[in-house]
Amino acid sequence: EPEVTQTPSHQVTQMGQEVILRCVPISNHLYFYWYRQILGQKVEFLVSFYNNEISEKSEIFDDQFSVERPDGSNFTLKIRSTKLEDSAMYFCANDGTDTQYFGPGTRLTVL
Amino acid sequence: LAKTTQPISMDSYEGQEVNITCSHNNIATNDYITWYQQFPSQGPRFIIQGYKTKVTNEVASLFIPADRKSSTLSLPRVSLSDTAVYYCLVGDPTGGYNKLIFGAGTRLAVHP
């Protein structure tokens, strides 16, 4: 199975700090996604990215969030000023021919 | 996006066959049915996808009746390692873009 990788596996930060979560998607797959999952809750769509721009975003993805492909391969999610409620697992996903492949996730803990 | 309904939880024992049914009454013509598995603190993992009738792979089978308003994921001879949350999703995966909307899933517990 194709592999999406994410770093770091666990990030601890103080409220108000900026964090950058990184994803290395599968090469030649064009659509990128970020999802999050608060402990004990559903997996929630955050944003999709195609052709170097956001194609869709959810109401969760407010001005504190941004995404980019800084070097044409990595895909990042930045949270500018973290809040306690941003604590969650964040998953990067990448489209295959007929489905999405998810990375292992980054556990973000905001103190 | 079609809404799906599946049981919140199920229990089984090692070696048994487990069938998880999902209802999707408003499935559209172009929609496929996809099942994912998720272990705690891991990303969802694709299990199987189908459009109609029956699909089988090395992990599971997917049964879809002619009206496509429901589907059944069948896991043969489960083991303890099959304890996970299973999600049924409906959507059109063709054309590349396919935002996934997850429900609560079915929490399967396999007992010794």
Side-chain angles (χ1 to χ4, degrees):
Chain A
E1 182 179 299
E3 195 174 274
V4 176
T5 59
Q6 291 185 243
T7 56
S9 57
H10 193 183
Q11 174 89 48
V12 181
T13 189
Q14 296 290 326
M15 191 169 56
Q17 295 295 304
E18 175 183 286
V19 294
I20 297 176
L21 310 182
R22 292 180 169 80
C23 170
V24 179
I26 302 161
S27 60
N28 300 324
H29 286 193
L30 303 178
Y31 291 88
F32 309 94
Y33 309 81
W34 283 101
Y35 296 81
R36 81 170 186 190
Q37 186 175 32
I38 295 171
L39 185 64
Q41 297 187 23
K42 295 186 291 189
V43 177
E44 301 173 288
F45 167 77
L46 290 178
V47 65
S48 57
F49 191 84
Y50 171 72
N51 203 25
N52 290 322
E53 60 184 34
I54 291 173
S55 53
E56 186 176 355
K57 59 184 180 181
S58 71
E59 62 276 9
I60 302 169
F61 195 89
D62 60 23
D63 292 343
Q64 295 298 317
F65 291 87
S66 62
V67 289
E68 63 176 8
R69 291 191 75 192
D71 56 11
S73 59
N74 294 306
F75 181 46
T76 63
L77 174 69
K78 181 192 292 186
I79 309 175
R80 249 179 290 280
S81 177
T82 50
K83 303 188 283 286
L84 296 176
E85 54 265 37
D86 293 327
S87 294
M89 287 289 291
Y90 287 82
F91 299 109
C92 170
N94 203 194
D95 259 334
T97 53
D98 54 5
T99 188
Q100 287 183 26
Y101 296 99
F102 284 76
T106 293
R107 179 179 298 281
L108 176 64
T109 302
V110 182
L111 303 175
Chain B
L1 292 167
K3 179 177 161 54
T4 61
T5 303
Q6 51 183 123
I8 292 188
S9 64
M10 293 181 71
D11 288 274
S12 184
Y13 292 91
E14 284 189 289
Q16 289 188 333
E17 178 184 79
V18 170
N19 295 308
I20 307 174
T21 296
C22 177
S23 297
H24 27 79
N25 291 318
N26 296 322
I27 189 168
T29 303
N30 293 335
D31 286 344
Y32 282 65
I33 300 141
T34 309
W35 286 80
Y36 281 83
Q37 174 193 56
Q38 186 182 30
F39 298 113
S41 299
Q42 295 187 27
R45 186 174 78 99
F46 170 82
I47 302 176
I48 197 166
Q49 184 181 77
Y51 184 81
K52 61 181 178 181
T53 62
K54 177 184 173 183
V55 180
T56 298
N57 61 23
E58 64 277 5
V59 176
S61 294
L62 179 59
F63 298 92
I64 306 167
D67 66 4
R68 303 197 331 117
K69 292 184 184 300
S70 67
S71 58
T72 300
L73 174 72
S74 181
L75 304 172
R77 297 182 300 282
V78 294
S79 63
L80 296 177
S81 62
D82 293 316
T83 294
V85 179
Y86 292 82
Y87 299 97
C88 164
L89 292 92
V90 173
D92 182 359
T94 61
Y97 180 64
N98 185 24
K99 173 183 74 176
L100 298 180
I101 304 296
F102 286 83
T106 297
R107 190 170 297 275
L108 173 66
V110 179
H111 305 281

